[in-house]
Amino acid sequence: MTSPSAPPADPTAAIDRALAELREAFLPRFRAATTEQALRDENAKILGKKGELTAILKLLGQAPPAGRKAIGEKVNALKQEVESGFEGCLRDLRGKEREAELSAPPFDLTLPGRVPSGVGHKHPISIVREEVVAVFRQLGFAVHDGPDVEHEANNFTLLGFPPDHPATDMQDSFWTESGHILRTHTSNIQIRAMKGQKPPMAFIAPGTVYRRDDDATHSPMFHQIEAFLVDRRVTLAHLKGVLAEFAERLYGPGTPVRLRPSYFPFVEPGAEVDIGCVFCRQSDGTRAGCNLCKHTGFIEILGCGMIHPVVLENCGIDPEEWSGFALGMGLERIAMLRYGIPNIRLMFDNDPRFLSQF
Ligand code: DAH
């Protein structure tokens, strides 16, 4: 260690030597690099913040002030030499790589490709939804869309639900803080479509719906498809014809359909629709049947009815001139029936061992 009082030794000669050594060495070092990364590393060792030239520059402060300018100029000159040497080597290296690429044997485009493993596929709900939509499209229905978060009016009031109907209860439905509801069925789309345009109209509307329900056959989120038609002189016979056609196209020719009177606030009359049990196919009244149809030979698949005149009126459609039918079905139920799936939860777990079966 030098004592603090001693003037620092003049490092000019040492700097000159170091600069000369570096000038000799840098190009051979650059040329020895065979990859772009190696070249860049070498460059950083010289010009980087902790590089050799930077280290030399730091000695400048110890040189006598009179000589600093000359040394500084030398350092800068060398820095420029190093920089252009690096650029030159980089160009050469890239040129060589390009040449190697061009002279390499060409790709064999006739080689068979790799077969990807584990390709995804459609969820059973999507399969069933597409099939149902396809059947109704063949029958001339257009697809209509609507929001999951809905105004209470479109989900309940305009459909004829009285204000104290249990479905409107917090216990049964999900409400947002802003007073909107997660739609509890796709019937809201009837209202949206009928308020939005003049009849005649025929729509199919698939969607996600929400209810506070959770057990082996119910999930808080599930899927429905709504279909409805408004025109002049539409009768229950038209509804029944569409249902028969639907059952045949989805479940095969000759699938029996029966309507049982039922109640929904937005239709009059309303009905539940059964089809002949697709498992035992014994809808001949012998009551042999199977467990899945509870030995009745029939399985319920949807709700339907003639659109209530008040609902038409609520949407600005004159019930004296127009009439219509509507139907709604749960897709999970259709899929469970189709594939014999015993628990609804299986459809939402997304376990590949389950899903890969479809
Ligand atoms: N919206 C009813 C439900 O979620 C299903 C339904 C019943 C739809 C009768 C209809 C209908 O269009 O006419 O249970």
Side-chain angles (χ1 to χ4, degrees):
M1 239 192 173
T2 47
S3 79
S5 56
D10 180 357
T12 309
I15 293 177
D16 273 341
R17 226 178 307 120
L19 289 175
E21 273 169 22
L22 191 54
R23 171 169 292 118
E24 285 290 306
F26 79 86
L27 257 189
R29 280 166 62 183
F30 283 169
R31 291 202 178 116
T34 52
T35 64
E36 187 171 328
Q37 192 53 53
L39 178 62
R40 289 185 184 283
D41 290 348
E42 210 53 44
N43 189 48
K45 276 187 206 156
I46 299 172
L47 295 183
K49 244 194 246 162
K50 293 188 177 152
E52 295 157 36
L53 194 62
T54 321
I56 296 173
L57 200 59
K58 281 185 187 149
L59 295 173
L60 194 61
Q62 296 168 17
R68 281 184 201 166
K69 184 163 179 245
I71 300 173
E73 279 167 3
K74 278 187 207 164
V75 170
N76 276 333
L78 180 55
K79 187 174 171 215
Q80 275 172 18
E81 275 178 56
V82 173
E83 276 167 358
S84 64
F86 167 77
E87 294 297 338
C89 285
L90 187 60
R91 260 196 311 279
D92 290 349
L93 208 54
R94 286 184 175 165
K96 272 188 214 150
E97 272 174 12
R98 181 91 185 110
E99 223 149 82
E101 257 174 38
L102 290 176
S103 58
F107 291 113
D108 183 353
L109 297 177
T110 65
L111 281 177
R114 287 201 196 107
V115 179
S117 60
V119 187
H121 51 84
K122 285 179 185 163
H123 192 280
I125 305 257
S126 303
I127 298 173
V128 170
R129 182 189 59 227
E130 284 172 13
E131 283 178 6
V132 172
V133 168
V135 168
F136 277 93
R137 289 183 72 123
Q138 288 159 14
L139 297 177
F141 288 68
V143 179
H144 205 293
D145 202 2
D148 290 23
V149 182
E150 183 56 291
H151 299 286
E152 177 181 7
N154 292 342
N155 191 85
F156 289 133
T157 325
L158 296 173
L159 282 164
F161 283 75
D164 57 350
H165 192 282
T168 66
D169 200 285
M170 301 284 284
Q171 301 291 312
D172 292 307
S173 307
F174 294 104
W175 291 85
T176 70
E177 279 168 14
S178 59
H180 293 82
I181 191 168
L182 296 189
R183 66 168 168 206
T184 60
H185 52 188
T186 44
S187 303
N188 67 324
I189 305 194
Q190 290 183 39
I191 301 297
R192 287 182 166 264
M194 291 194 290
K195 279 201 298 194
Q197 68 191 80
K198 296 264 158 282
M201 67 180 87
F203 285 112
I204 169 104
T208 309
V209 302
Y210 308 85
R211 289 182 202 172
R212 289 185 183 266
D213 241 348
D214 210 358
D215 59 37
T217 49
H218 297 91
S219 149
M221 184 278 302
F222 58 105
H223 301 84
Q224 283 189 340
I225 289 199
E226 195 86 5
F228 51 97
L229 178 150
V230 184
D231 206 334
R232 292 191 170 87
R233 290 182 293 278
V234 177
T235 70
L236 200 61
H238 296 110
L239 170 57
K240 204 164 175 208
V242 165
L243 290 171
E245 199 56 40
F246 170 69
E248 291 232 332
R249 293 193 189 197
L250 204 65
Y251 293 102
T255 302
V257 175
R258 86 180 177 193
L259 274 70
R260 276 179 293 106
S262 184
Y263 174 76
F264 302 96
F266 39 92
V267 283
E268 179 56 37
E272 267 157 355
V273 175
D274 301 334
I275 57 164
C277 178
V278 288
F279 299 105
C280 64
R281 299 222 169 251
Q282 292 190 4
S283 52
D284 54 7
T286 57
R287 294 191 64 88
C290 63
N291 282 336
L292 286 149
C293 62
K294 301 195 183 87
H295 301 280
T296 62
F298 280 92
I299 286 186
E300 182 194 328
I301 58 161
L302 55 83
C304 67
M306 300 306 293
I307 300 175
H308 200 294
V310 170
V311 174
L312 293 173
E313 236 163 36
N314 287 344
C315 299
I317 294 176
D318 179 3
E320 297 294 331
E321 186 179 356
W322 305 98
S323 57
F325 65 74
L327 59 99
M329 70 193 94
L331 279 182
E332 280 75 8
R333 185 168 171 78
I334 306 269
M336 288 166 85
L337 287 176
R338 158 73 61 85
Y339 299 112
I341 301 167
N343 188 321
I344 197 172
R345 217 66 54 80
L346 287 166
M347 276 188 285
F348 301 117
D349 286 345
N350 288 332
D351 183 334
R353 289 168 302 178
F354 168 76
L355 292 177
S356 64
Q357 296 174 50
F358 303 98

